[in-house]
Amino acid sequence: MAGWLISVYRYYLKPVHLTMKKQLIKSKLLHCDETPFVMPKKSKQYMWVLHSPGKGGGPPIYLYEYLGARNGEVIQDYLEGYKGILVTDGYQPYHTIMKNSNDITVAGCYSHVRRKFAEIVKAAKKGEKLTPAQEIAAEAVKRIDQFYHLDNKFKESSDEERLKNRQENIRPLVEDFFAWVKTFDSKTISSTKLRAALNYAKNQEYYLKTFLDHPEVPLDNNDAERSIRKFCVGKHNWHIIDSVNGASASALYYSIAETAKANGLKPYEYMRYLISELIKYPREKVPGDELEKLMPWSESIPDICRKKKNKKK
C-alpha cells in the first residue's frame, strides 16, 4: 500500500504540490514550523509546514514539506522569491533569512515567550507562597496576557481599527514589558529557568514588536504549531518513514488533506475527485490551467466534495 501511495504521488500528484507552493509563495503572510522524525540509516530528518491563513485575498493553504535538515539554508532556498511576513518561533536561522533578504520580515511568537514563564509558575506548589523567581514569572505572564486581551477585543474589527488599537493601547504595554524585563540582571538571577526566559524575551524583542505595525499579523505562531502537531500525532502511530520518496509523498498527502479541510472540502471525496481527474492526462502532463481548476480553493470543485454548511437557526 505504501508503494502504491508513493507511485501515485510520483506519477500524478507532484504537479499538485508544485501548484500549491506557487500559490503559497504569493501570500503576504506565512506561518512556519518544523518537527523531527526518524528515517533509518539517516541522521535526524525534519518535516516543515508552511501555512498561509488566507488573509489578503489568497486561499488558506497548508503545505507540508520534507526538506531533510533543519537549518537556515534549506528554508531560505525553499522561500526563494517570497515577499512578505514570516511568523515563526525564535529559531535563529529565520532571523538570518530576514537579514539576508530585503523582502522578508520575521514576526516573533508571544506564545513561546509566555510558555517559558508559565512553566516556572506551574512549578509552584499549591498553597505555598511563590518564590521570588515565580513571582517575576507570574508578572511576565500577566503582562503578556494583557496584550492578548486588548488585541482580542478588536479581533473582528477592520485592519485600520486593529492597527490603531495596537499603536495606541498595546504598544505602550509592550514597551513597558521589555523595559521591565531589562531591569533584571541575568547575573543576579539564581533560577536557571527564569534567567533563560528573561534572556529569550530580550533576544526576541525586535521580532516580537513586528505585530504592532502590521494588523494582519497575529501575536503568536500557534497556527503553524497546530498544523505540525497533526503530523506529530501521526508519527507516533507509524513511528518511521523509511525513504525519501515516502517522506515527500507523506508531505503531499498531509498538504492535500489539511488544505482541503481549510477550504471547506471533505478530504476523502476531494482526493477521489482529484485523482480521477489527473489520470485523464499523461503522467505529469496536466495543463497548468486545468491544474488550477483542481486546486482545493477552486470554484470548479464539485459540490459532492464540499462540506455542507450549517444552516443558521
Side-chain angles (χ1 to χ4, degrees):
M1 178 182 275
W4 294 341
L5 289 171
I6 292 172
S7 294
V8 171
Y9 162 72
R10 292 176 63 190
Y11 296 149
Y12 296 104
L13 293 177
K14 268 190 177 181
V16 174
H17 209 169
L18 294 174
T19 305
M20 291 177 72
K21 181 187 175 183
K22 182 180 177 181
Q23 181 63 47
L24 181 89
I25 294 297
K26 294 179 182 178
S27 175
K28 298 301 181 184
L29 177 67
L30 291 179
H31 291 263
C32 187
D33 202 3
E34 76 290 328
T35 189
F37 67 92
V38 176
M39 185 182 292
K41 298 181 181 180
K42 282 184 174 286
S43 59
K44 186 185 293 183
Q45 301 292 287
Y46 282 84
M47 186 68 74
W48 298 71
V49 64
L50 294 102
H51 170 43
S52 168
K55 296 180 179 179
I61 301 173
Y62 289 90
L63 200 58
Y64 294 77
E65 291 284 3
Y66 167 61
L67 301 179
R70 183 186 188 239
N71 59 54
E73 291 182 6
V74 297
I75 192 62
Q76 184 168 335
D77 289 344
Y78 184 82
L79 289 172
E80 184 178 358
Y82 176 66
K83 299 179 181 180
I85 297 173
L86 196 63
V87 186
T88 73
D89 56 25
Y91 186 40
Q92 181 59 41
Y94 293 127
H95 306 158
T96 302
I97 291 173
M98 178 177 169
K99 292 174 182 176
N100 293 338
S101 171
N102 294 322
D103 299 318
I104 296 178
T105 299
V106 171
C109 174
Y110 275 98
S111 181
H112 277 77
V113 181
R114 185 187 185 282
R115 192 177 302 152
K116 292 181 183 298
F117 289 111
E119 288 175 355
I120 297 171
V121 179
K122 288 179 182 177
K125 295 181 179 179
K126 190 175 180 179
E128 292 189 6
K129 184 180 178 180
L130 296 180
T131 66
Q134 290 166 348
E135 287 182 347
I136 294 171
E139 176 64 19
V141 170
K142 180 182 176 181
R143 287 173 181 248
I144 294 172
D145 286 348
Q146 187 67 6
F147 306 162
Y148 279 93
H149 175 69
L150 290 176
D151 197 60
N152 286 337
K153 285 185 175 181
F154 288 77
K155 191 174 183 178
E156 303 301 326
S157 302
S158 66
D159 281 353
E160 291 77 13
E161 291 172 319
R162 284 173 63 81
L163 181 60
K164 183 179 179 182
N165 176 54
R166 289 181 174 185
Q167 292 288 336
E168 295 181 359
N169 300 318
I170 303 178
R171 182 180 287 278
L173 298 180
V174 170
E175 297 293 353
D176 285 347
F177 171 74
F178 285 106
W180 173 76
V181 165
K182 292 172 186 176
T183 62
F184 299 99
D185 184 351
S186 297
K187 296 178 181 179
T188 64
I189 299 293
S190 59
S191 169
T192 303
K193 287 189 175 181
L194 178 60
R195 190 162 59 245
L198 290 168
N199 286 336
Y200 183 84
K202 292 175 187 177
N203 294 335
Q204 300 299 314
E205 178 181 1
Y206 180 88
Y207 310 100
L208 289 166
K209 288 182 176 179
T210 299
F211 85 101
L212 294 169
D213 298 311
H214 299 276
E216 74 279 15
V217 174
L219 275 72
D220 54 49
N221 195 33
N222 289 349
D223 269 2
E225 286 202 355
R226 283 190 290 267
S227 306
I228 205 68
R229 193 174 297 130
K230 294 168 184 176
F231 178 82
C232 293
V233 170
K235 72 181 182 180
H236 288 302
N237 294 324
W238 37 256
H239 296 297
I240 63 169
I241 294 178
D242 62 4
S243 70
V244 170
N245 285 332
S248 298
S250 295
L252 184 277
Y253 287 116
Y254 271 98
S255 300
I256 290 177
E258 295 305 319
T259 303
K261 288 189 286 186
N263 285 274
L265 304 182
K266 294 179 282 188
Y268 177 74
E269 284 77 2
Y270 171 67
M271 184 69 78
R272 286 190 61 180
Y273 170 73
L274 177 63
I275 294 176
S276 69
E277 292 298 309
L278 290 173
I279 62 176
K280 295 177 182 178
Y281 301 92
R283 294 175 181 176
E284 298 189 54
K285 300 292 183 181
V286 185
D289 56 342
E290 293 301 317
L291 264 177
E292 291 291 344
K293 294 177 184 178
L294 297 176
M295 291 298 102
W297 52 84
S298 171
E299 295 182 359
S300 301
I301 302 300
D303 289 342
I304 192 173
C305 298
R306 301 186 183 278
K307 296 177 183 177
K308 292 182 180 179
K309 295 182 180 179
N310 294 327
K311 295 181 179 179
K312 294 183 178 179
K313 295 183 179 179

